[in-house]
Amino acid sequence: EPEVTQTPSHQVTQMGQEVILRCVPISNHLYFYWYRQILGQKVEFLVSFYNNEISEKSEIFDDQFSVERPDGSNFTLKIRSTKLEDSAMYFCASSEQGSSFGYTFGSGTRLTVV
Amino acid sequence: AQRVTQPEKLLSVFKGAPVELKCNYSYSGSPELFWYVQYSRQRLQLLLRHISRESIKGFTADLNKGETSFHLKKPFAQEEDSAMYYCALWGNNDMRFGAGTRLTVKP
């Protein structure tokens, strides 16, 4: 069964550093998403991406964050100047256009900012 | 915009007891609703979707459009059901989640 792959599984970074979280969506999917889950809290929508541009973003997704599809397979989330409160699990997901049936989560990247 | 409400943050039942996790939604279009389960520190796993009308691990959920609800039910809870449960709504080409309910099944 196709999977959404995320790397690394765990990243530790110093406060103020930039991190890039990587995701490889399912190959024929056209919509891509990032979610954040702070430990013990709810899964929060960050951003959706379609046709090489952001289609929707939440209030959490401020100028500190950016997303990119640098090539035909990767979908990245960049966090500039990380803060302690950015420590969370970050999930990537992808879906076929206009359908929830192929919607698939990755296993997540645990980001720890120290 | 779609919104999902799970009024209970915590729910505790004894093994063998019935369990119901509540979910209400708000969406102007025709909703697609889902339940996801997350075991300790693992990825979100799809439990069931309303369109399939299936029963997974003994859980069922019925979409009630009149009450805008999609409550998750199981007649006899098991200890291994202890987890976080998220109700989710697909709309506008993305998935939005409720705050989650932590279910604890006591022996």
Side-chain angles (χ1 to χ4, degrees):
Chain A
E1 191 167 323
E3 284 188 348
V4 174
T5 306
Q6 288 186 246
T7 56
S9 57
H10 190 190
Q11 170 118 26
V12 181
T13 189
Q14 287 201 322
M15 191 168 55
Q17 296 296 305
E18 175 182 285
V19 295
I20 297 177
L21 310 182
R22 300 180 194 282
C23 170
V24 179
I26 294 173
S27 61
N28 64 333
H29 284 186
L30 300 177
Y31 279 79
F32 314 113
Y33 310 85
W34 283 103
Y35 292 83
R36 178 182 80 176
Q37 185 180 33
I38 296 171
L39 186 63
Q41 298 187 25
K42 66 182 287 188
V43 178
E44 300 172 294
F45 170 79
L46 290 178
V47 65
S48 59
F49 190 87
Y50 170 70
N51 199 26
N52 281 320
E53 61 183 25
I54 291 172
S55 51
E56 192 166 354
K57 61 182 181 179
S58 72
E59 60 276 7
I60 302 169
F61 194 88
D62 58 21
D63 292 342
Q64 185 194 6
F65 295 90
S66 61
V67 289
E68 193 179 29
R69 190 152 162 82
D71 53 42
S73 60
N74 287 284
F75 177 53
T76 62
L77 174 70
K78 184 189 290 186
I79 310 175
R80 287 180 280 276
S81 189
T82 49
K83 300 176 284 213
L84 294 176
E85 53 265 38
D86 294 327
S87 295
M89 197 76 169
Y90 289 82
F91 292 102
C92 173
S94 69
S95 76
E96 299 173 56
Q97 182 177 359
S99 169
S100 65
F101 278 87
Y103 187 88
T104 307
F105 271 97
S107 56
T109 293
R110 181 169 297 284
L111 175 66
T112 303
V113 182
V114 297
Chain B
Q2 63 264 46
R3 189 169 70 238
V4 179
T5 305
Q6 292 179 251
E8 303 146 324
K9 292 187 85 169
L10 302 170
L11 183 63
S12 182
V13 300
F14 284 101
K15 177 182 170 182
V19 63
E20 180 179 68
L21 291 87
K22 291 185 169 47
C23 172
N24 290 89
Y25 68 90
S26 170
Y27 183 57
S28 56
S30 183
E32 291 184 56
L33 284 141
F34 303 80
W35 277 97
Y36 282 82
V37 60
Q38 187 179 38
Y39 301 101
S40 181
R41 295 203 174 196
Q42 295 184 25
R43 79 165 77 193
L44 286 156
Q45 301 175 36
L46 179 64
L47 184 60
L48 54 80
R49 64 185 91 218
H50 90 269
I51 288 177
S52 303
R53 300 188 63 81
E54 57 202 342
S55 173
I56 304 294
K57 300 184 180 181
F59 286 97
T60 58
D62 289 318
L63 177 61
N64 185 323
K65 290 188 177 181
E67 295 182 358
T68 60
S69 67
F70 188 57
H71 303 327
L72 182 70
K73 300 177 185 178
K74 184 169 182 176
F76 308 104
Q78 303 299 313
E79 288 180 71
E80 56 265 29
D81 295 330
S82 295
M84 278 294 289
Y85 290 81
Y86 292 95
C87 183
L89 187 154
W90 175 268
N92 300 321
N93 290 313
D94 67 48
M95 192 80 80
R96 299 297 173 103
F97 293 84
T101 297
R102 180 172 298 282
L103 174 66
T104 301
V105 181
K106 297 179 284 190

